[in-house]
């Protein structure tokens, strides 16, 4: 009997430890990189260990993801960075793709004005002018401390040595292989059946990176790589020209900044909708006692859902590229405006989305972007979300250069006012114009508490990006979770239309779900097996860093 009790206690201790281990992220003293692949986090950390700062590590991590995570990491896409220096200075970098000069408002419509299926998502016509190389060089030029050569060397080595295929990667490649074959005229490396533990070597990508290492940013926008890229895109029926590449510039932007209780949230400004939407939602829920309602309770889900519904209804009506449209950001995120929007909310009954007037939006969601968070040993922080848009972007792979091209043009409204094949309904603010940037949901975010760095957070997930970032911040702030625990929690999402709460399956109690249904909410557990893949860092009260790497992917936190 005694033996049995001892055994029982032992099992209990093992189970408890396991649970704790799972909920406690990697802890480090000095620096931390959390990204979608262990190889990329490791290279980022190696740069910090060499004395580089968060921006040096950003360049390395971003390009290492282009090697190790071709699903979303890229040379052929774009992204956004939000940063906070150790002296409190903040800023944002926009290296979002742009519409080519030859783009036009109706380029995805047929002669009857109908959207041509697949034209904005598959193949060369879907490509926006890539921004990633311009972005990393712009960040490095302003803040980098190590020479580019040393930063790129381990990345080039990684491409040559190759990447070990994970189970998740094997599954993703299998799923998208038919489209690789459909889009590409010649066989590509990913046509082969890659299995878990195989090694994929990226020799062409290594050569491209080597030329970029030697010749810098202009190699991509005006050099041999530019020539090869333009020839390739045009041979495949695309409209991007050398002039498009030559004219591309990444831009410094002013981040969206707002208060939530005692937190200061710093997030991405337009052309991402992320910061504005996050601010609208957080200002709307601030007056409610979420902590008293408890985590993922009926009442907290109601308040968050209703705030999300209203913010997303505004999103595409008002937002677009600030270089082309005037955006009333201050009004949109002011407590007066937001509280007025919430005045129609009651705990007794769900608001119907059809009764919410602003906006014309329905965004499809997916999780093919990628986010990484970095804090360096000097206290600088960067939060970066980067994407090809869909999984492997347009599926068009330039074998000679070794990378996929984005299908970011699909983030424009192909036909203002009507849904396109992926459910996007656009408005005037996001119509296609040459050289314009398409509206995004990417929400790289940094949180301050008591004027100090508190959290670095972000995620992929299309329209669910904003609500995943929101829930992660709330899990830490309202529900007092640690970073990993906050990342692990089940997530839900509402985006005005369709009028449903998407929920991660088998994650919410029957009781909570039944009560929500009774109150008039429609729940959808079938279309979002995972919502977001959050990679985040929390500064603990003792000054140490806790990484939160999302177990929904192969994401990994490494510290030192
Ligand atoms: O910029 C955007 O909002 C989208 N292109 C992001 C796409 C994304 O997150 C894809 N997978 N989630």
């Amino acid at each position: 009997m005694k033996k049995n009790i001892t055994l029982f206690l032992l099992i209990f201790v093992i189970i408890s430890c396991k649970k704790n281990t799972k909920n406690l992220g990697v802890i480090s003293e000095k620096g931390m990189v959390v990204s979608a692949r262990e190889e990329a986090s490791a290279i980022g950390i190696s740069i910090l260990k060499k004395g580089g700062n968060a921006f040096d590590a950003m360049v390395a991590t971003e390009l290492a993801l282009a090697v190790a995570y071709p699903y979303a990491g890229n040379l052929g896409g774009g992204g956004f960075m939000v940063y906070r220096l150790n002296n409190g200075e903040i800023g944002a970098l926009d290296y979002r793709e742009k519409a080519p000069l030859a783009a036009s408002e109706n380029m995805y419509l047929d002669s009857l004005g109908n959207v041509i299926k697949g034209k904005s998502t598959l193949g060369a016509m879907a490509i926006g002018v890539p921004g990633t190389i311009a972005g990393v060089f712009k960040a490095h030029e302003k803040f980098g401390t190590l020479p580019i050569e040393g930063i790129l060397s381990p990345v080039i080595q990684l491409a040559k040595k190759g990447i070990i295929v994970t189970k998740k990667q094997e599954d993703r490649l299998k799923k998208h292989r038919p489209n690789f074959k459909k889009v590409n005229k010649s066989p590509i490396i990913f046509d082969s059946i890659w299995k878990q533990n195989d090694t994929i070597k990226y020799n062409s990508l290594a050569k491209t990176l080597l030329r970029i290492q030697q010749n810098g940013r202009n190699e991509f926008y005006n050099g041999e790589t530019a020539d090869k890229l333009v020839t390739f895109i045009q041979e495949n029926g695309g409209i991007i020209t050398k002039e498009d590449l030559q004219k591309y510039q990444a831009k410094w932007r002013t981040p969206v900044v707002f208060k939530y209780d005692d937190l200061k949230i710093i997030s991405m400004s337009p052309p991402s909708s992320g910061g504005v939407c996050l601010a609208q939602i957080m200002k709307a829920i601030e007056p409610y006692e979420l902590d008293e309602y408890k985590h993922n309770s009926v009442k907290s889900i109601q308040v968050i859902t209703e705030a999300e519904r209203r913010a997303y209804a505004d999103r595409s009506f008002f937002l677009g590229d600030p270089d082309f449209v005037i955006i009333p950001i201050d009004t949109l995120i002011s407590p007066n405006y937001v509280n007025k929007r919430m005045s129609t909310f009651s705990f007794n009954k769900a608001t119907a989305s059809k009764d919410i007037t602003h906006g014309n939006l329905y965004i499809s969601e997916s999780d093919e972007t990628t986010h990484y968070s970095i804090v360096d040993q000097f206290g600088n922080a960067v939060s970066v979300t980067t994407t090809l848009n869909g999984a492997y972007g347009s599926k068009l792979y330039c074998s000679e250069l070794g990378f996929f091209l984005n299908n970011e043009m699909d983030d424009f409204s192909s036909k203002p006012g009507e849904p396109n094949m992926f459910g996007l309904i656009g408005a005037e603010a996001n119509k296609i114009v040459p050289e314009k940037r398409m509206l995004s949901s990417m929400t790289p975010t940094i949180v301050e508490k008591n004027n100090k760095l508190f959290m670095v957070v972000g995620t992929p997930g299309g329209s669910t990006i904003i609500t995943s970032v929101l829930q992660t911040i709330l899990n830490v702030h309202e529900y007092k979770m640690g970073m990993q625990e906050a990342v692990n929690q089940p997530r839900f999402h509402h985006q005005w239309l369709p009028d449903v709460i998407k929920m991660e399956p088998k994650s919410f109690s029957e009781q909570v779900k039944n009560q929500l249904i009774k109150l008039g909410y429609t729940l959808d557990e079938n279309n979002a097996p995972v919502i977001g893949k959050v990679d985040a860092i929390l500064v603990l009260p003792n000054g140490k860093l806790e990484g939160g790497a999302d177990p929904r992917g192969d994401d990994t936190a490494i510290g030192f």
Side-chain angles (χ1 to χ4, degrees):
M1 185 69 186
K2 197 170 168 217
K3 206 171 157 195
N4 279 350
I5 289 177
T6 314
L7 188 67
F8 174 79
L9 278 177
L10 187 68
I11 291 170
F12 178 77
V13 168
I14 290 172
I15 290 173
S16 317
C17 287
K18 222 172 160 188
K19 188 157 173 265
N20 282 342
T21 312
K22 204 173 137 206
N23 271 337
L24 184 63
V26 170
I27 306 282
S28 76
E29 305 256 342
K30 294 182 174 166
M32 174 87 70
V33 181
V34 193
S35 83
R37 284 288 306 220
E38 186 179 351
E39 296 85 343
S41 299
I43 282 185
I45 281 292
S46 75
I47 296 295
L48 294 184
K49 281 188 176 165
K50 277 186 204 155
N53 66 16
F55 300 91
D56 298 314
M58 175 219 170
V59 178
T61 308
E62 176 99 16
L63 297 179
L65 283 167
V67 175
Y69 195 59
Y71 186 63
N74 65 82
L75 260 59
F80 297 110
M81 171 182 70
V82 170
Y83 69 82
R84 181 186 185 277
L85 304 185
N86 55 8
N87 63 7
E89 187 188 319
I90 58 170
L93 181 63
D94 165 2
Y95 54 101
R96 180 72 161 165
E97 299 91 327
K98 293 175 78 168
L101 288 159
S104 58
E105 188 177 344
N106 298 330
M107 63 189 277
Y108 297 116
L109 306 185
D110 64 17
S111 57
L112 300 175
N114 298 318
V115 172
I116 301 165
K117 195 169 150 57
K119 196 170 176 186
S120 66
T121 53
L122 285 176
M125 280 300 286
I127 308 170
V129 183
T132 295
I133 291 297
V136 295
F137 274 88
K138 192 126 185 143
H140 184 261
E141 173 190 82
K142 186 158 179 185
F143 294 115
T145 55
L146 297 183
I148 278 288
E149 197 192 348
I151 297 176
L152 260 63
S153 287
V155 181
I156 295 168
Q157 287 313 315
L158 181 70
K160 284 188 188 159
K161 189 175 117 208
I163 300 294
I164 297 175
V165 175
T166 64
K167 182 71 182 88
K168 289 191 170 85
Q169 189 176 12
E170 175 189 326
D171 295 344
R172 285 193 298 263
L173 286 169
K174 183 174 172 201
K175 179 172 167 197
H176 296 285
R177 197 165 292 125
N179 270 334
F180 298 154
K181 294 200 169 160
K182 186 168 157 191
V183 167
N184 291 280
K185 291 188 204 166
S186 318
I188 67 167
I189 191 169
F190 300 105
D191 289 341
S192 309
I193 308 220
W194 296 102
K195 293 280 185 204
Q196 184 178 11
N197 293 327
D198 286 348
T199 300
I200 310 183
K201 294 189 177 182
Y202 296 101
N203 289 321
S204 321
L205 182 54
K207 282 187 198 145
T208 303
L209 289 166
L210 189 64
R211 286 198 304 277
I212 292 172
Q213 184 189 41
Q214 285 162 351
N215 305 325
R217 174 204 185 278
N218 282 347
E219 170 61 31
F220 192 90
Y221 292 96
N222 204 14
E224 184 185 331
T225 302
D227 289 332
K228 289 190 160 136
L229 184 57
V230 166
T231 305
F232 175 76
I233 291 174
Q234 291 181 0
E235 274 172 7
N236 280 280
I239 54 173
I240 290 179
T241 61
K242 184 93 178 272
E243 192 185 356
D244 279 312
L245 292 179
Q246 286 166 337
K247 288 187 86 168
Y248 186 87
Q249 293 293 338
K251 291 185 96 161
W252 295 107
R253 304 272 184 199
T254 304
V256 172
V257 180
F258 60 96
K259 298 279 288 182
Y260 178 86
D261 294 347
D262 60 347
L263 304 181
K264 179 171 144 189
I265 318 276
I266 303 147
S267 192
M268 192 62 217
S269 43
S272 179
S273 62
V276 172
C277 251
L278 185 66
Q280 285 197 305
I281 298 168
M282 294 193 83
K283 291 317 265 184
I285 64 180
E286 195 175 26
Y288 297 87
E289 305 298 336
L290 286 189
D291 53 342
E292 284 175 19
Y293 306 157
K294 303 287 182 238
H295 179 246
N296 281 352
S297 65
V298 172
K299 280 181 96 172
S300 64
I301 292 176
Q302 272 189 286
V303 171
I304 292 169
T305 295
E306 296 298 345
E308 288 173 356
R309 186 197 308 279
R310 287 157 177 81
Y312 276 83
D314 273 354
R315 177 190 180 272
S316 90
F317 187 79
F318 292 109
L319 303 186
D321 182 344
D323 296 342
F324 287 74
V325 291
I326 295 168
I327 305 170
I329 294 185
D330 292 345
T331 308
L332 285 172
I333 69 173
S334 69
N336 268 353
Y337 173 77
V338 169
N339 292 340
K340 222 196 273 158
R341 298 276 287 153
M342 283 298 274
S343 63
T344 50
F345 161 59
S346 150
F347 277 112
N348 299 328
K349 191 171 180 292
T351 308
S353 284
K354 65 178 168 42
D355 297 334
I356 298 285
T357 50
H358 280 297
N360 286 307
L361 167 82
Y362 163 25
I363 318 162
S364 60
E365 103 294 321
S366 47
D367 64 358
E368 300 96 2
T369 299
T370 190
H371 177 86
Y372 56 94
S373 295
I374 302 177
V375 175
D376 70 19
Q377 62 276 34
F378 313 108
N380 304 304
V382 306
S383 181
V384 181
T385 315
T386 178
T387 190
L388 289 163
N389 193 22
Y392 308 102
S394 63
K395 319 289 190 279
L396 185 65
Y397 181 79
C398 180
S399 293
E400 192 178 2
L401 297 175
F403 57 86
F404 280 105
L405 279 312
N406 70 80
N407 60 350
E408 217 72 61
M409 289 297 284
D410 194 57
D411 272 349
F412 278 118
S413 331
S414 292
K415 184 174 179 181
E418 277 187 40
N420 71 5
M421 57 173 287
F422 287 106
L424 276 154
I425 297 180
E428 190 69 13
N430 190 33
K431 72 176 182 191
I432 304 172
V433 179
E435 294 198 83
K436 188 177 174 186
R437 286 163 154 97
M438 52 298 279
L439 186 62
S440 172
S441 299
M442 293 191 283
T443 315
T445 298
I446 292 176
V447 182
E448 271 181 23
K449 190 170 178 169
N450 302 325
N451 298 322
K452 293 198 180 122
L453 178 66
F454 183 54
M455 197 189 307
V456 186
V457 57
T459 180
S463 58
T464 68
I465 289 175
I466 300 163
T467 50
S468 297
V469 167
L470 166 78
Q471 288 167 80
T472 308
I473 297 173
L474 294 178
N475 288 347
V476 171
H477 176 73
E478 298 283 0
Y479 305 115
K480 310 294 173 232
M481 295 181 198
M483 194 71 267
Q484 187 64 53
E485 189 181 5
V487 167
N488 291 350
Q489 297 310 305
R491 293 192 273 263
F492 63 93
H493 169 78
H494 196 291
Q495 60 177 42
W496 182 52
L497 292 174
D499 191 350
V500 297
I501 303 179
K502 283 202 165 114
M503 293 177 144
E504 289 184 315
K506 301 192 189 118
S507 306
F508 292 79
S509 77
E510 290 304 313
Q511 196 197 6
V512 164
K513 288 190 285 188
N514 288 336
Q515 281 187 52
L516 286 168
I517 291 167
K518 264 198 208 137
L519 288 161
Y521 293 95
T522 304
L523 310 184
D524 174 3
E525 287 183 287
N526 297 323
N527 285 309
V530 302
I531 295 181
K533 285 187 202 138
V534 177
D535 284 344
I537 301 171
L538 184 66
V539 182
L540 301 173
N542 62 7
K544 291 186 183 175
L545 305 170
E546 183 189 355
D550 206 318
R552 293 162 179 84
D554 294 322
D555 306 43
T556 307
I558 303 183
F560 85 111

